[in-house]
Coordinates of all heavy atoms in Angstrom, one line a residue:
S1 N -8.2 -16.8 10.2 CA -6.8 -17.1 9.8 C -6.0 -15.8 9.3 O -6.7 -14.8 8.9 CB -6.8 -18.2 8.8 OG -7.2 -17.8 7.6
K2 N -4.8 -16.0 9.1 CA -3.9 -15.0 8.5 C -4.4 -14.6 7.1 O -4.4 -13.4 6.8 CB -2.4 -15.5 8.4 CG -1.4 -14.5 8.0 CD -0.1 -15.0 8.1 CE 0.9 -14.0 7.5 NZ 2.4 -14.4 7.7
H3 N -4.8 -15.6 6.3 CA -5.2 -15.3 5.0 C -6.5 -14.5 4.9 O -6.6 -13.5 4.1 CB -5.4 -16.6 4.3 CG -4.2 -17.1 3.5 ND1 -4.0 -18.5 3.2 CD2 -3.1 -16.5 2.9 CE1 -2.8 -18.7 2.6 NE2 -2.3 -17.4 2.5
I4 N -7.4 -14.8 5.8 CA -8.6 -14.1 5.8 C -8.5 -12.7 6.4 O -9.1 -11.7 5.8 CB -9.7 -14.9 6.7 CG1 -9.9 -16.3 5.9 CG2 -11.1 -14.1 6.7 CD1 -10.4 -16.2 4.5
N5 N -7.7 -12.5 7.3 CA -7.5 -11.2 7.8 C -6.8 -10.3 6.8 O -7.2 -9.1 6.7 CB -6.6 -11.3 9.1 CG -7.4 -11.6 10.3 OD1 -8.4 -11.3 10.5 ND2 -6.6 -12.3 11.3
A6 N -5.8 -10.9 6.1 CA -5.2 -10.2 4.9 C -6.1 -9.9 3.8 O -6.1 -8.7 3.3 CB -4.0 -11.0 4.4
C7 N -7.1 -10.8 3.7 CA -8.2 -10.5 2.7 C -9.1 -9.4 3.1 O -9.4 -8.5 2.3 CB -8.9 -11.9 2.6 SG -10.1 -11.9 1.1
K8 N -9.5 -9.4 4.3 CA -10.3 -8.3 4.9 C -9.6 -7.0 4.8 O -10.3 -5.9 4.5 CB -10.7 -8.6 6.3 CG -11.7 -9.7 6.5 CD -12.0 -9.8 7.9 CE -13.3 -10.8 8.1 NZ -13.6 -11.0 9.6
E9 N -8.4 -7.0 5.0 CA -7.5 -5.7 5.0 C -7.4 -5.2 3.6 O -7.6 -3.9 3.4 CB -6.1 -5.9 5.6 CG -5.3 -4.7 5.7 CD -4.2 -4.7 6.7 OE1 -4.4 -5.3 7.8 OE2 -3.1 -4.4 6.4
Y10 N -7.3 -6.0 2.7 CA -7.2 -5.5 1.2 C -8.6 -5.1 0.8 O -8.6 -3.9 0.2 CB -6.9 -6.8 0.4 CG -6.8 -6.4 -1.1 CD1 -5.6 -6.0 -1.6 CD2 -7.9 -6.4 -2.0 CE1 -5.5 -5.6 -3.0 CE2 -7.8 -6.1 -3.2 CZ -6.6 -5.6 -3.8 OH -6.6 -5.2 -5.1
I11 N -9.7 -5.7 1.2 CA -11.0 -5.2 0.9 C -11.2 -3.7 1.5 O -11.7 -2.9 0.9 CB -12.0 -6.1 1.5 CG1 -12.0 -7.4 0.7 CG2 -13.5 -5.5 1.3 CD1 -12.9 -8.6 1.2
Y12 N -10.8 -3.6 2.7 CA -10.9 -2.2 3.4 C -10.2 -1.3 2.6 O -10.7 -0.1 2.4 CB -10.4 -2.3 4.9 CG -10.6 -1.0 5.5 CD1 -11.7 -0.6 6.1 CD2 -9.4 -0.1 5.6 CE1 -11.8 0.6 6.7 CE2 -9.5 1.2 6.2 CZ -10.6 1.5 6.7 OH -10.8 2.8 7.3
S13 N -8.8 -1.5 2.3 CA -8.1 -0.6 1.6 C -8.5 -0.2 0.2 O -8.2 0.8 -0.4 CB -6.7 -1.1 1.5 OG -6.1 -1.4 2.8
H14 N -9.3 -1.1 -0.4 CA -9.7 -0.9 -1.9 C -11.2 -0.9 -2.0 O -11.8 -1.3 -3.0 CB -9.2 -2.0 -2.8 CG -7.7 -2.0 -2.7 ND1 -6.8 -2.7 -1.7 CD2 -6.7 -1.5 -3.6 CE1 -5.6 -2.4 -2.0 NE2 -5.5 -1.8 -3.2
I15 N -11.9 -0.5 -0.9 CA -13.4 -0.7 -0.9 C -14.1 0.2 -2.0 O -15.2 -0.1 -2.4 CB -14.0 -0.3 0.5 CG1 -15.4 -0.8 0.7 CG2 -13.8 1.1 0.8 CD1 -15.6 -2.2 0.6
K16 N -13.4 1.2 -2.5 CA -14.0 2.1 -3.4 C -13.8 1.5 -4.9 O -14.4 2.1 -5.7 CB -13.4 3.6 -3.3 CG -13.7 4.2 -2.0 CD -12.9 5.5 -2.0 CE -13.2 6.2 -0.6 NZ -12.5 7.4 -0.4
E17 N -13.1 0.4 -4.9 CA -12.8 -0.2 -6.3 C -13.7 -1.4 -6.5 O -14.4 -1.8 -5.6 CB -11.3 -0.6 -6.3 CG -10.3 0.6 -6.1 CD -8.9 0.1 -6.0 OE1 -8.7 -1.1 -6.2 OE2 -8.1 0.8 -5.3
R18 N -13.8 -1.8 -7.7 CA -14.4 -3.1 -7.9 C -13.4 -4.2 -7.6 O -12.2 -4.3 -8.1 CB -14.7 -3.2 -9.4 CG -15.6 -4.4 -9.9 CD -16.0 -4.4 -11.2 NE -16.7 -5.7 -11.5 CZ -16.1 -6.8 -12.0 NH1 -14.7 -6.8 -12.2 NH2 -16.8 -7.9 -12.3
I19 N -13.7 -5.1 -6.7 CA -12.9 -6.2 -6.1 C -13.5 -7.5 -6.5 O -14.7 -7.7 -6.2 CB -12.8 -6.1 -4.6 CG1 -12.3 -4.7 -4.2 CG2 -11.7 -7.1 -4.2 CD1 -12.4 -4.4 -2.7
T20 N -12.7 -8.4 -7.1 CA -13.2 -9.7 -7.4 C -12.4 -10.7 -6.5 O -11.3 -10.5 -6.0 CB -13.0 -10.0 -8.8 OG1 -11.6 -10.1 -9.1 CG2 -13.6 -8.9 -9.7
I21 N -12.9 -12.0 -6.4 CA -12.3 -13.0 -5.8 C -10.9 -13.3 -6.4 O -9.8 -13.6 -5.8 CB -13.1 -14.2 -5.7 CG1 -12.4 -15.3 -4.9 CG2 -13.4 -14.7 -7.1 CD1 -12.3 -15.1 -3.4
E22 N -10.7 -13.1 -7.7 CA -9.5 -13.3 -8.5 C -8.5 -12.3 -8.0 O -7.3 -12.6 -7.9 CB -9.8 -13.2 -10.0 CG -10.5 -14.5 -10.5 CD -12.0 -14.5 -10.3 OE1 -12.5 -13.3 -10.0 OE2 -12.6 -15.5 -10.4
D23 N -9.0 -11.1 -7.8 CA -8.1 -9.9 -7.3 C -7.5 -10.3 -6.0 O -6.2 -10.3 -5.8 CB -8.8 -8.6 -7.1 CG -9.3 -8.0 -8.5 OD1 -8.6 -8.3 -9.5 OD2 -10.2 -7.3 -8.5
L24 N -8.3 -10.8 -5.1 CA -7.8 -11.1 -3.8 C -6.9 -12.4 -3.8 O -5.9 -12.5 -3.2 CB -9.0 -11.4 -2.9 CG -10.0 -10.3 -2.7 CD1 -11.3 -10.8 -2.0 CD2 -9.3 -9.3 -1.7
A25 N -7.2 -13.4 -4.6 CA -6.4 -14.6 -4.7 C -5.1 -14.2 -5.2 O -4.0 -14.7 -4.8 CB -7.1 -15.6 -5.6
D26 N -5.0 -13.3 -6.3 CA -3.6 -13.0 -6.8 C -2.8 -12.2 -5.7 O -1.6 -12.5 -5.7 CB -3.9 -12.0 -8.0 CG -4.3 -12.7 -9.2 OD1 -4.3 -13.9 -9.3 OD2 -4.9 -12.0 -10.1
V27 N -3.4 -11.4 -4.9 CA -2.7 -10.6 -3.9 C -2.1 -11.6 -2.9 O -1.0 -11.5 -2.4 CB -3.7 -9.6 -3.2 CG1 -2.9 -9.0 -2.0 CG2 -3.9 -8.5 -4.3
L28 N -2.9 -12.6 -2.4 CA -2.5 -13.6 -1.4 C -1.8 -14.7 -1.9 O -1.1 -15.5 -1.2 CB -3.8 -14.1 -0.7 CG -4.6 -13.1 0.0 CD1 -5.8 -13.7 0.6 CD2 -3.9 -12.3 1.1
G29 N -1.7 -14.8 -3.3 CA -0.9 -15.9 -3.8 C -1.5 -17.2 -3.7 O -0.8 -18.3 -3.6
V30 N -2.9 -17.3 -3.6 CA -3.6 -18.6 -3.6 C -4.5 -18.7 -4.7 O -4.9 -17.7 -5.5 CB -4.3 -18.7 -2.2 CG1 -3.3 -18.6 -1.1 CG2 -5.4 -17.6 -2.1
S31 N -5.2 -19.9 -4.8 CA -6.2 -20.0 -5.9 C -7.5 -19.5 -5.5 O -7.8 -19.3 -4.3 CB -6.4 -21.5 -6.2 OG -7.0 -22.1 -5.1
A32 N -8.3 -18.9 -6.5 CA -9.5 -18.3 -6.2 C -10.5 -19.3 -5.5 O -11.3 -18.9 -4.6 CB -10.2 -17.8 -7.5
S33 N -10.5 -20.6 -6.0 CA -11.4 -21.5 -5.4 C -11.1 -21.9 -3.9 O -12.0 -22.0 -3.1 CB -11.3 -23.0 -6.2 OG -10.0 -23.3 -6.2
Y34 N -9.8 -21.9 -3.6 CA -9.3 -22.2 -2.3 C -9.8 -21.1 -1.3 O -10.3 -21.2 -0.2 CB -7.8 -22.4 -2.2 CG -7.3 -22.4 -0.8 CD1 -7.4 -23.4 0.2 CD2 -6.6 -21.1 -0.3 CE1 -6.9 -23.3 1.4 CE2 -6.2 -21.1 1.0 CZ -6.2 -22.2 1.8 OH -5.7 -22.1 3.1
L35 N -9.5 -19.9 -1.8 CA -9.8 -18.6 -1.0 C -11.3 -18.5 -0.8 O -11.8 -18.2 0.3 CB -9.3 -17.3 -1.6 CG -9.5 -15.9 -0.9 CD1 -8.9 -16.1 0.4 CD2 -8.9 -14.9 -1.7
S36 N -12.0 -18.8 -1.8 CA -13.6 -18.7 -1.8 C -14.1 -19.7 -0.7 O -14.9 -19.3 0.1 CB -14.2 -19.1 -3.2 OG -15.6 -19.1 -3.1
R37 N -13.6 -20.9 -0.6 CA -14.0 -21.9 0.3 C -13.6 -21.6 1.7 O -14.4 -21.6 2.7 CB -13.4 -23.3 -0.1 CG -13.9 -23.9 -1.2 CD -13.6 -25.5 -1.3 NE -12.2 -25.7 -1.3 CZ -11.3 -25.6 -2.4 NH1 -11.9 -25.5 -3.6 NH2 -10.0 -25.9 -2.3
L38 N -12.3 -21.0 1.9 CA -11.8 -20.7 3.2 C -12.6 -19.5 3.7 O -12.9 -19.5 4.9 CB -10.4 -20.4 3.1 CG -9.7 -19.9 4.4 CD1 -9.5 -21.1 5.3 CD2 -8.2 -19.5 4.1
F39 N -12.8 -18.5 2.9 CA -13.6 -17.3 3.4 C -15.0 -17.7 3.8 O -15.4 -17.3 4.9 CB -13.6 -16.3 2.2 CG -14.0 -14.9 2.7 CD1 -13.0 -14.0 2.9 CD2 -15.3 -14.5 2.8 CE1 -13.3 -12.7 3.3 CE2 -15.6 -13.2 3.2 CZ -14.6 -12.3 3.5
K40 N -15.6 -18.4 3.1 CA -17.1 -18.9 3.4 C -17.0 -19.7 4.7 O -17.9 -19.6 5.5 CB -17.6 -19.7 2.4 CG -19.1 -20.2 2.5 CD -20.0 -18.9 2.6 CE -21.4 -19.4 2.8 NZ -22.1 -20.2 1.6
K41 N -16.0 -20.5 4.9 CA -15.9 -21.4 6.1 C -15.7 -20.5 7.3 O -16.4 -20.7 8.4 CB -14.8 -22.4 5.9 CG -14.4 -23.3 7.2 CD -13.4 -24.1 6.9 CE -13.0 -25.0 8.2 NZ -11.8 -25.9 8.0
E42 N -14.7 -19.5 7.2 CA -14.4 -18.7 8.4 C -15.3 -17.5 8.7 O -15.5 -17.3 9.8 CB -12.9 -18.2 8.3 CG -11.9 -19.3 8.3 CD -10.5 -18.9 8.5 OE1 -10.4 -17.7 9.0 OE2 -9.6 -19.6 8.1
V43 N -15.8 -16.9 7.6 CA -16.6 -15.7 7.8 C -18.1 -16.0 7.8 O -18.8 -15.3 8.3 CB -16.2 -14.7 6.7 CG1 -16.9 -13.4 6.9 CG2 -14.7 -14.3 6.7
G44 N -18.5 -17.1 7.1 CA -19.9 -17.4 7.1 C -20.6 -16.9 6.0 O -21.8 -17.3 5.7
V45 N -20.0 -16.0 5.2 CA -20.6 -15.5 4.0 C -19.7 -15.6 2.8 O -18.5 -15.7 3.0 CB -21.1 -14.1 4.1 CG1 -22.2 -14.0 5.1 CG2 -19.9 -13.2 4.5
S46 N -20.1 -15.5 1.6 CA -19.1 -15.4 0.5 C -18.4 -14.2 0.4 O -18.8 -13.2 1.0 CB -19.9 -15.6 -0.8 OG -20.8 -14.5 -1.1

């Protein structure tokens, strides 16, 4: 989905940094729990 693609793009751009689920959730404007569930559902891993 759009959210997960945006999530992957952020990870690629900041791969040298320490990235947390909270960082990603803040960037996307969603809750960390929602993003965590969505990511696991679509990508198959946490």
Side-chain angles (χ1 to χ4, degrees):
S1 65
K2 183 178 179 180
H3 271 153
I4 299 306
N5 281 331
C7 192
K8 287 182 173 181
E9 187 159 312
Y10 182 90
I11 292 169
Y12 178 85
S13 302
H14 299 80
I15 194 64
K16 296 175 185 176
E17 304 169 16
R18 182 176 179 273
I19 308 169
T20 66
I21 185 66
E22 288 75 20
D23 295 330
L24 295 168
D26 286 343
V27 169
L28 298 179
V30 298
S31 71
S33 58
Y34 166 78
L35 183 59
S36 180
R37 290 194 303 271
L38 183 65
F39 197 96
K40 182 65 179 293
K41 177 182 177 182
E42 294 194 18
V43 183
V45 296
S46 67

